[in-house]
Amino acid sequence: MEKVKVTVTAAISALMSWLGILAVPVFLLVGCNIIDYATGLCAAKYRGDGGISSYRSIRGIVKKVCQWLLVLVGAWIDVLINYAVDCAGVDITIPFVVATIAAVWLVVNEIISILENMLDIGVTMPPFMMPAVKYIKQQVEAKAAVTEQEEREEEENEN
């Protein structure tokens, strides 16, 4: 039993070390995915749309897997950015910025979904909770937004 404990601890430590700043949002995303799915199943019988359905269940699982893939695509973009910076001769390493922002945004969306599921179940929600989470979502979107004007300016600078 001790060997299993040491092996699991070593594997989790190695994964967290490799993920760096992405570790916390990824683990939060996985936890939120599980909680959202469970609360969604519980809330299904309280909704007027017919309760639990295998189609919606499978669709929900596929959506969760696609969220993980979205974070993976963000990590690939980060790898490409680091490769481009390295090829340009600049000696810096940029952490998983795109993947982290994507993961944080997804976590916030999952938290909103969990809260909505709890409301459907009939849980009394503190009045500040949903607005606080939606504010966090707006802030993440605002900080990560690239506006069309910024894109046009970049294109003009390249030409």
Side-chain angles (χ1 to χ4, degrees):
M1 186 61 166
E2 189 65 28
K3 285 185 178 185
V4 171
K5 185 178 175 182
V6 169
T7 303
V8 169
T9 302
I12 290 173
S13 297
L15 179 62
M16 291 197 62
S17 174
W18 180 75
L19 287 173
I21 66 169
L22 190 54
V24 171
V26 164
F27 284 117
L28 286 174
L29 180 60
V30 172
C32 284
N33 284 156
I34 293 167
I35 293 168
D36 182 45
Y37 188 77
T39 58
L41 288 175
C42 292
K45 69 178 183 177
Y46 296 99
R47 295 184 179 129
D49 57 3
I52 297 173
S53 130
S54 59
Y55 171 76
R56 282 193 298 250
S57 258
I58 295 297
R59 186 169 179 252
I61 292 169
V62 169
K63 284 173 67 175
K64 305 297 183 208
V65 171
C66 286
Q67 288 178 351
W68 302 337
L69 293 175
L70 187 60
V71 175
L72 180 63
V73 168
W76 289 345
I77 292 169
D78 289 323
V79 168
L80 285 173
I81 291 169
N82 276 317
Y83 177 75
V85 166
D86 187 45
C87 287
V90 180
D91 191 26
I92 61 170
T93 301
I94 301 169
F96 289 115
V97 177
V98 176
T100 301
I101 293 170
V104 168
W105 186 82
L106 290 166
V107 167
V108 172
N109 277 330
E110 287 293 282
I111 291 171
I112 291 170
S113 180
I114 291 166
L115 295 177
E116 288 170 347
N117 290 340
M118 289 180 175
L119 286 172
D120 287 347
I121 292 169
V123 174
T124 303
M125 191 69 54
F128 64 86
M129 205 161 213
M130 187 68 81
V133 177
K134 288 184 177 181
Y135 176 76
I136 294 168
K137 180 181 177 184
Q138 290 172 346
Q139 292 303 304
V140 171
E141 289 174 346
K143 297 297 180 195
V146 176
T147 64
E148 289 182 28
Q149 179 64 33
E150 290 172 337
E151 287 177 2
R152 275 189 236 116
E153 288 173 6
E154 286 179 19
E155 288 176 6
E156 289 172 6
N157 289 339
E158 289 174 2
N159 296 332

